Amino acid sequence: MRYSIRMRASRAVAHGRPEHISGAERITGLAGAPALARDLARRALEHGKGRPDTIHITLEELDDAAILRVPALPARALDCASAAEGLELAAGLLRQAGVPDPGAVIALLLASAPLRGAMLVDADTLERLEPDRERGVRATLMDMALPAGDNGGAEGKRHYLEAAVLAAKVCHAPHIIAELCISDDPDYVTGYVASPAFGYARIARLKEPGIPRGGRVFLYRGPREAVAATVAFLERRPVLVENVPPPPAFAASGSATGAQAAPGPDPNHTTDPAQPADPADKWAFVEERLDRLEAEGLYRHMDVLESPPGPRVRHAGRDLLLLASGDYLGLAADTRVTAGAARALESFGAGCGGSRLTTGTLPLHGLLERRLAAFGGSEAALLFSSGYAANVGLLPALCGKGDVIFSDALNHASIIDGCRLSGAAVVIYAHNDMADLDRLARQHAGRRRLVVSDAVFSMDGDVADLPGLLEVAARHGLLTVLDEAHALGVIGRTGRGIVEHFGLTGAGPDIFTGSLSKALGADGGYVRGPARVTEYLRHGGRSFVFSTALSPAPVGAALAALDILRAEPRRVARLQANAAFFRARLKEHGLEAPGESAIVPLMAGDERVAVAAARHMRESGILISAIRYPTVARGAARLRAALRADHGHADLVLAADEAARALRTARADFGLPPADEGSRTRC
Ligand SMILES: *Cc1c(COP(=O)(O)O)cnc(C)c1O
């Protein structure tokens, strides 16, 4: 839970409203609130405008789901010799932002009575638009997305950071084209102009020292009916600004073209000494960790979808094109599949009430196991409660102390966890590099040795080199395990997976693990392989033995889905055609579109670019995942498109065009060049 903590300091005057002295605000977890309250009170008491007689500190609970994260604006700094010269620079920037008469805007600000808030002004007519002219519009409920404190810095730096946060919020408000700010602190002459057009431009001098006057103007260009929404955004929408760059150094005004514009995390923030943990708060370590994740752009949100998966889904009251689902064949909401689930549910109940070895086994379990084995060409299969459970059950059952597991560098987390749980020595080989596997297999001896790989890599969409892997495994006597979570129903002419994909006729891998929750649209996992091995797992697979049997509804759903997959291979063909078309369209935009499966990674490199690009796409009506560390390596962030058999041609054109545009825009948001050569570095 996050809170807005706000400070407002004022002093009574003989007649009329109290004089406003200072104000500040932060967004914090509860653990940080007491220290912040002290800090804000101290600031109120030390303000250059004089001593207040009243300090209000308020703490307001925020709706976490309403918090919007926006990227900071690229920042630069312009030096100037005098306030007059600074105002000239400000006028030039306002013109660049599209304000026709910047001189009049500056005059309006300097001539107006001081306001607690900002003026909201029509950029073309200079008409005042704020509902309360005496008060102005107050941009509030915002902070940096990192632990707040006094930022361990000089007064000027604090001014800058607060201004950069406010400017980022204002420039993300609907219909705002620019902001001009001159501080009302008599000791602080630096001001800025900000605009979505060019970012944040700090100007060394916008007034002479000693003048306790200043203010802000927000310039608006949009329909009158939309003013209220803009005001509501500014005053009530909680906003966290990600990756606020450090204060740019003042360069001579001639070089104002952005040499300082590249933002980056401020190293001073990572050792922020503020917020001493309250010993009474046993969850301080949790707050700290969450704050750190926010600071690094790694905080995760859960999108709530208000419809079943489909080519379009309902999200936050809008219909979005879904480019982020493992329901590749559109089976999750197929009425035959849901009817299969319903029949099983009505016949056998909601839950099995026991593990498979006690009272949990139903006829449906055996039926699905036989069908899965037959479809994939294995002797037998065993169901687990998820694909994750299958991997963490299988690997420790096969390997232990004294054994060696060779694992691809990009294997799924459930494989990594299975390896760790096994207690075997784990040797990581370079991604899909069979020469490396061969080299390592020569070096690492062990009692029993096994190689495990994703069949289709879940974040890169490429297919494991199975012929190469089998050859190396045969040479060194390795057991082979392939995870076909993203291969079943996706690759191979009839969706039978990686063996069919390569057209292998000889012996395939020893064992497959898989998930019922992707192309089959249901839930659950499995291991398939020799019957004696699945028998052995019934005894030795701890996630099988000590977990309740997979419940009837997903088993019924998976049975129906597998029937459809067998009867309608054209769904697989359509999925493959969609993926090929999407990749070709991306290439036309000059985007690399590696892989051969239904997963298409769009490399962004920088975490912030990936997140911003996903947001741009969502604004254009497309739901796509931004994938970052720890799912992929740091600096290998990406958009991950997952295609569906039921995407239409127009959907794919739109998605590819918008992806190209969103990545370009996101790179520009952070002042990066259009293409990032380093973005494919993975590890
Ligand atoms: C999704 C996935 C899993 C886990 O399957 P669940 O059924 O979701 O637990 C395992 N391996 C890979 C490669 C996956 O992508």
Side-chain angles (χ1 to χ4, degrees), residues 386-389 391 412 414 454 456 458 483 485-486 515-518 524:
S386 67
Y388 183 95
N391 281 328
H412 188 263
S414 56
D454 280 15
V456 168
S458 54
D483 177 337
H486 296 283
S515 171
L516 308 176
S517 66
K518 308 246 161 85

Side-chain angles (χ1 to χ4, degrees), residues 454-541:
D454 280 15
V456 168
F457 287 89
S458 54
M459 295 301 139
D460 290 63
D462 53 342
V463 177
D465 174 7
L466 182 61
L469 185 144
L470 290 174
E471 191 193 310
V472 175
R475 191 175 310 140
H476 297 284
L478 311 179
L479 297 175
T480 49
V481 175
L482 270 280
D483 177 337
E484 62 178 357
H486 296 283
L488 178 81
V490 176
I491 62 171
R493 196 180 54 81
T494 62
R496 279 173 165 77
I498 191 164
V499 168
E500 188 182 32
H501 174 83
F502 284 107
L504 297 184
T505 48
D510 296 310
I511 295 170
F512 285 94
T513 62
S515 171
L516 308 176
S517 66
K518 308 246 161 85
L520 293 179
D523 192 22
Y526 62 88
V527 172
R528 63 181 178 88
R532 288 297 276 173
V533 174
T534 58
E535 267 170 58
Y536 168 70
L537 286 176
R538 267 187 354 224
H539 304 86

Side-chain angles (χ1 to χ4, degrees), residues 3-360:
Y3 294 82
S4 161
I5 182 165
R6 271 168 291 176
M7 175 276 285
R8 194 155 51 76
S10 60
R11 184 172 43 215
V13 291
H15 306 288
R17 297 166 160 255
E19 182 199 2
H20 174 70
I21 303 267
S22 69
E25 66 166 308
R26 284 287 157 70
I27 291 175
T28 177
L30 204 50
L36 273 179
R38 277 194 298 278
D39 179 48
L40 292 174
R42 189 168 57 236
R43 285 178 54 182
L45 291 168
E46 291 167 0
H47 197 270
K49 271 172 82 176
R51 206 170 177 92
D53 56 18
T54 307
I55 301 173
H56 286 280
I57 292 193
T58 56
L59 191 66
E60 178 187 348
E61 187 178 301
L62 299 177
D63 173 6
D64 280 351
I67 297 177
L68 181 69
R69 271 146 224 280
V70 303
L73 302 169
R76 62 183 155 152
L78 307 181
D79 204 0
C80 54
S82 64
E85 205 181 290
L87 290 170
E88 278 299 308
L89 287 172
L93 288 163
L94 288 170
R95 199 168 293 116
Q96 203 181 322
V99 178
D101 190 353
V105 173
I106 292 170
L108 182 66
L109 175 62
L110 294 177
S112 300
L115 297 175
R116 287 248 323 275
M119 283 186 248
L120 181 67
V121 170
D122 185 297
D124 301 301
T125 65
L126 298 193
E127 202 179 329
R128 300 274 299 269
L129 301 174
E130 65 269 22
D132 179 346
R133 291 265 196 102
E134 306 250 298
R135 177 174 161 279
V137 173
R138 306 245 306 143
T140 62
L141 301 184
M142 67 217 158
D143 199 352
M144 287 183 279
L146 87 178
D150 71 1
N151 297 306
E155 187 72 1
K157 180 170 165 194
R158 190 168 65 196
H159 269 285
Y160 158 77
L161 291 170
E162 289 177 358
V165 165
L166 186 139
K169 176 170 186 183
V170 169
C171 287
H172 280 85
H175 306 300
I176 296 293
I177 63 164
E179 177 194 357
L180 166 66
C181 174
I182 302 175
S183 172
D184 63 356
D185 183 333
D187 302 327
Y188 196 74
V189 298
T190 302
Y192 67 86
V193 176
S195 165
F198 54 75
Y200 180 92
R202 207 177 176 205
I203 300 172
R205 267 167 277 282
L206 282 181
K207 67 176 187 183
E208 299 307 334
I211 300 173
R213 292 275 299 272
R216 293 175 195 280
V217 183
F218 302 152
L219 291 148
Y220 178 94
R221 178 176 286 143
R224 275 312 128 89
E225 316 83 75
V227 168
T230 298
V231 172
F233 180 94
L234 291 165
E235 298 200 326
R236 294 306 311 159
R237 183 74 194 259
V239 167
L240 284 173
V241 180
E242 294 180 326
N243 302 304
V244 178
F250 285 110
S253 55
S255 63
T257 44
Q260 305 286 335
D266 183 344
N268 292 336
H269 292 161
T270 55
T271 52
D272 192 339
Q275 298 194 41
D278 182 346
D281 185 354
K282 61 185 176 183
W283 299 120
F285 73 99
V286 172
E287 294 288 345
E288 232 162 71
R289 174 105 176 85
L290 289 172
D291 285 345
R292 175 70 20 103
L293 287 170
E294 284 198 7
E296 295 176 358
L298 296 174
Y299 190 87
R300 305 287 296 262
H301 292 271
M302 292 193 280
D303 282 314
V304 178
L305 300 191
E306 295 138 18
S307 66
R312 294 201 145 53
V313 288
R314 193 95 188 138
H315 175 265
R318 296 166 72 203
D319 285 324
L320 300 182
L321 177 62
L322 179 62
L323 214 59
S325 161
D327 177 32
Y328 299 114
L329 300 174
L331 293 176
D334 187 290
T335 51
R336 292 165 291 177
V337 174
T338 54
R343 272 196 310 276
L345 180 70
E346 296 199 336
S347 309
F348 296 102
C352 291
S355 81
R356 289 289 296 281
L357 296 176
T358 59
T359 55

